[in-house]
Every structure is written in C-alpha cells, then in structure tokens.
Amino acid sequence: MNFGCDYYPEHWPEERWEKDVQMMAEAGFNVVRMAEFAWVKLERGKGQFDFSWLDKAIEILSENKIRNVLGTPTATPPAWLAASHPDILRVNKEGIRTSFGGRRACCPNSSTYRTYSEKMVSKMAEHYKDNKNVIGWQIDNEFGGDGEKGLCYCQECAKNFRQWLQDKYKTLQKLNQEWGTVFWSQTYTEWEQIPLPRQLETAHNPSLLLDYRRFISDSYISYQKLQIDILRKICPHKFITHNFMGLFNAIDYYKLAEPLDFIAWDNYPNLRFTGGNKSPAKVSLSHDVMRGLKEENFWVMEQQSGPSGWQCVDPNPHPGEIRLWTYQAIAHGAEGILYFRWRTSRFGTEQFWHGILDQCGTATRRYEEVKKIGQELKRIKDELIGLEFPKEVAMLTSYDEQWAFDIQPNNPKFNYQEHFASYYQILNTLNIPVDVVSIQADISKYKLLIAPALFLINDELVDNLKEFVKKGGTLIITFRSGIKNWNNVAFDEPLPAKLNDLLGIEVVEYDSLSSVHRCKLKLIHPEIEPLQGECDTWCDIIKCRGAEIIGRYTQSYYKDEACLTINRFGQGYAIYIGTNPSPEIKGSILRWAIEKSRVKSSFQVDPEDIEVILGRKEGKDYLFFLNHSNKYHQVKLDRIYQELLEKREYFRDSLMAIEPKGVRILCRT
Ligand code: GLA
Ligand code: ZN
C-alpha cells in the first residue's frame, strides 16, 4: 500500500526536515507528494532554475525509504511571469482579466503559459529522470478548481474556440443548421463572428454553450497532454497521474483520465462550512465515480487529516474518522493514501487547512491515529492491493449530460448530481456493489443498469442500451431522457425520442412542479408492495405503447395516468421512472429490479449505519464493515470469517461488535 502525505518542506526551515521525516517513518509512510506549488522556488526568475533544496528533501526522505511523487508546479506560476506576461491569466465572464494573487488563474490556451510550462516541466523531468526515489509525476494540481470552473473568455480562447468549431462542423452552414442560429437572427456568415459566451443580459444559444464547455474541457486535456508528452519522452519509466476532484464536473474526466497511468483524487469528506458535509454515501459515490474513470483502482492523493478551512475552521475529524475514511477509500479501490497535509501552514491562504500536525509540529491525536493505520497497513498491505469488485450493477453518466443540465436544469429543483446520488444512495444502503461508468463503457457485463436522466441521446447510446436489454439486462431510465440530440437541440419526435420502443411508452405531456408543490402516486404492479407516496420536481404523463404500468398518479389533473412503467424488450426489461418519487418508492422499485435481475448484495443483513463493501482478490472475498455512526453496532455473521484488523476468527452465528466509527475487514475463502 502506498501510504504517506503531501509534504511542503519549502514552508519550513531545513533544520526541521530530518525530524519531519523521522516522524513520517515512524508512522509507516513510504511515499510523499511534493513541489506542486513550488514554481518560484524551482525557477527564481526566467531561466534561473534551482532544484537543490528539493534534491536535499528527496535525499532525506529516501534515507528513510520514503519515495516521492513530484507535482509539476504549473498551478501556481510565479509573480515574475504574471507581471511580464499578463496574458497567461484568465479572463472572466465579464471580460476582466483575473489578477495575480491566488492560484490556478491561468488560461490553458495561453501560448505564453504553455511555453513557460513546457520549459519548467522539461527542466524538472531532465533533472529527475535518473533519480530512482522519484517514482512518478502528478501533473499540475486539480485542473479546473478554484472558482469559475476554470472557464476562460480571453482572445486566445476565442481564436481556439473558432478553430475547434471549424474542426467539428467543417462549414459555417453546417454549424448554423446544427445550432439553429436562425433563432434571434444569429446566423453567422464569418467564423470570427461567433462569440465566446460572455455575460449577457439574456442568455446564449444552448448549443453554443454546450460546445464551449466541451472546448474548455478539451483545452485542459490538451494542456495536460503537452506535459504528458514531455514526461513520457524524458522519463518513460515513471508513472504519470493527476489529482481529480470527485464529483467536480467541469472537465470531461473520462477523457482527462485516458492518457494517465492511473488516476488519483482529493478526498475531503467533512467540509461543513466550505463545501457542505458530505454523507458517507456521497463519499462512496465519489470513490466509485473515480474508480469508473479508467475502470481501474486509484490513489487518494489528498486525504483529509484535520479540520479544513480557509477563512473559517471546519469541525475536527472525530477520533476514528481519519481511519474510517482511509478504509472506506481502500474498500472502494484506493491503492495509495496520502494525507493532506503533513503540517499545517503558518502562513498563506491555507493557514487553517489543518494537516496531520498542527503548526507547532508536535505529535497530535490525529498523528497517533495515522500511525496506528500505518501499523495496520504494514501488516495487511499486500492483501488489499489489487482488489476487484463485483460487476453486476452499473450507473451510467457522462459529462455532456451534466453540462447540458448545468446550462438548462429544466426545473429549479432539479440537480443532476443529486438525482443521480439519490439512486446510488439506495443501492449503497442495500449493500449493492455499484460501478459508475461512462455511457461509452462496455455495459454488456452487467445485469442491472441505472441511467438517470439521459437528456442528450445519440444513436450509439440508444443502440447499446437496446442491445443490453435485448440480451436480458434490466435497465432503469428516469425522466428528462431522450429530449435532445448531441448538439443540444430538441427532437421533433414523441418523447422520450429514440427510446419509445425500448421503453414501450410515449410521454404525451409533462408538468414541471414548483418547489413547494408535490404530487401523489401509488405503486400498482402485482409483484411490488402496493405503496402510496409522494413525488416532486417533474411529472411525465405517460401513455403505454406496450409497457405495463408500475405506478399511477393519484392527484392533479393527471390523476390515474401512468408515471412508472416496465417494458419487456427482447430477453430483458426496461423500466421508466417518469417523476421524482420519494426514497421509499424509489427503494421499492430498486429492490424489485434487483430481485428480478438476480443481483447479489455484499452482505444481507446489517444495521443501516454500516456500509458493507465487497472486494475480491485471488479467490478470496474481503468484506469491509464501516460504521459511519456514533453508535455501537453488532452484526450477526453467516459463516466463519477471519478478521484482518483485530486478527481473530469469527464463527458462524457469532455477533461481531463494531465501535462508533469502527472498521472490520472480514475475509472468507
Ligand atoms: C485542494 C488542493 C490542495 C489544498 C486543498 C485545501 O484539494 O489540491 O492544494 O488547497 O484543496 O484547500
Ligand atoms: Zn483563455
């Protein structure tokens, strides 16, 4: 197991480094990440490179068998560069150039920024190519992060955007036709007339907006490629990764992940004041989204290890929480855990973003917890590397869909990610292992697919879904699917367009509900418990064209009309959920679909607070029990198990106690 922290030796006097490294070694660390913000320390002025301080830190670390991942420092170009070349800075929606002072303020299309980045990365790669203690690279830091989602509206972006459009549509006539620019007299007669979507009193064309999001995403991917090409050429034997941001969605993460050796991500479960307190299921969803990017295991490059905060201080991780988050990550496929950060900074924006140590630098309660994890991992490390996960259920997503909903949420209450998470959450509570994969993934291996809100549809996607169901799969699709084509233009066919025959329905009308408005419905299918409940946000009024009705509205002018349906298609079933039902109703439908498609849960019976995750390796099953609550729980076991952390055996029918925030890892062969 790769285990360590994010280390900023440049923030502390050199005399302290030995002590830091000694404490890291005592905690069982074997890897640190460094340098991702250290541009000015590595290039003091144009062409004045100096790697000596970093060499020294690497040496001290390697004397203690701690290896290094180096970040290319391009997220924070130095003041001297911004002062001489302000064109590296992004221009915001209002057309104003961002000022120097924060970080990640650069435009990925700025040719000056690209030239200086190229030089910096090449020098660094040359310097470390033969250093065995540098095992890999993290490119830049969190592309797209720190406000405005990395969007830029500068002149170079405008030029490149028009080229990007030209490559895509070839002719202006085609673009005009695909975007429907006849609307509001927006027909373009020269490429130069096409605007960047800067701030307007009204709103831009949704097709232009979607292409612009794709273009900016491609710009980061191209900027990343610039660095990858250099590193692959100079250091072919070192790995390359990037630190992603979980559910962040401004960049097409599938494309960004593609050229990397593996992906890493930054996991902050508890940002109560700064980013909302994530439920344990949301954290698990983030892990599963990250695992799905390359359909491979991953690293956590930054794992929260203290109270976070820039201006205000978030709550401290309670005893056991850092350990719980660590095993939660491992249970979902993490093969590297690096805590952010080693020691809390005395200065700068992140003075209150606490690490393992506080500013004073002595061992804290959190350090002792990390040390305990280090000892445990040392003992069991190899068993938990290379876990595989059951492939029975998948949830499908795409960034194009997410951008289209960002542009037009359809209903003020509708949030694609929350909608998606509401289904994941139920599966998570039922201990059903889930893969979250791209709409382009090979879906044939799964038994049950959930595809929330496929707003945009293309032929390839429709064919894949049909093929999946035809061969016996169960598919669940939710409302606002099959509305538009891939250029964000509505279909001129009955809804859900292209999916009517698969779903055996037609949506003849819909009602977008106000935020206080709810509707009532009931389940009426003979195989499902006849529940009554509520729904909100959106009501599709469905006419069956071959499908059977699962549920009907019991209120409003569409009382007695169908809202939930199931259609036999080939060997399988396609279920349509035409509204946003309460969790109980969703739960009933999901449990039924799980049973119908013969999907197995990781572990049948357990208290709701406990997440159970199943990983497999070399014929062995590993069951992770994570107690996310503050209560003691007992779990009755169904057979003999070996427990890895307590190092003991449990017999059939015995009760396994799990303390608040506790973790157990059961192994069965
Ligand atoms: C991100 C960054 C880190 C640090 C933390 C805390 O995850 O990658 O450098 O800034 O947030 O803000
Ligand atoms: Zn720009």
Side-chain angles (χ1 to χ4, degrees), residues 87-91 97 106-110 151-158 196 215-216:
D87 56 301
I88 68 168
L89 299 170
R90 288 205 308 266
V91 169
R97 203 173 281 287
C106 289
C107 168
N109 285 307
S110 153
L151 302 176
C152 179
Y153 303 81
C154 77
Q155 280 314 317
E156 275 186 284
C157 280
L196 280 179
F215 158 73
I216 291 288

Side-chain angles (χ1 to χ4, degrees), residues 248-263:
F248 177 83
N249 65 1
I251 297 177
D252 187 329
Y253 270 0
Y254 294 109
K255 284 199 200 169
L256 192 69
E258 212 262 327
L260 300 171
D261 292 303
F262 59 87
I263 75 104

Side-chain angles (χ1 to χ4, degrees), residues 260-316:
L260 300 171
D261 292 303
F262 59 87
I263 75 104
W265 81 282
D266 299 343
N267 180 22
Y268 294 92
N270 190 355
L271 306 183
R272 195 157 305 173
F273 307 137
T274 36
N277 197 15
K278 291 189 200 115
S279 67
K282 262 282 180 61
V283 177
S284 290
L285 169 60
S286 308
H287 283 304
D288 288 348
V289 168
M290 294 292 96
R291 194 180 69 240
L293 295 183
K294 288 179 83 69
E295 297 187 64
E296 277 169 17
N297 291 354
F298 56 90
W299 284 27
V300 175
M301 198 58 99
E302 296 179 13
Q303 172 60 58
Q304 183 172 356
S305 65
S308 35
W310 283 5
Q311 283 75 27
C312 291
V313 183
D314 277 311
N316 212 324

Side-chain angles (χ1 to χ4, degrees), residues 106-122:
C106 289
C107 168
N109 285 307
S110 153
S111 37
T112 315
Y113 176 50
R114 291 171 82 103
T115 307
Y116 278 83
S117 301
E118 233 169 61
K119 226 174 278 168
M120 178 73 242
V121 174
S122 310

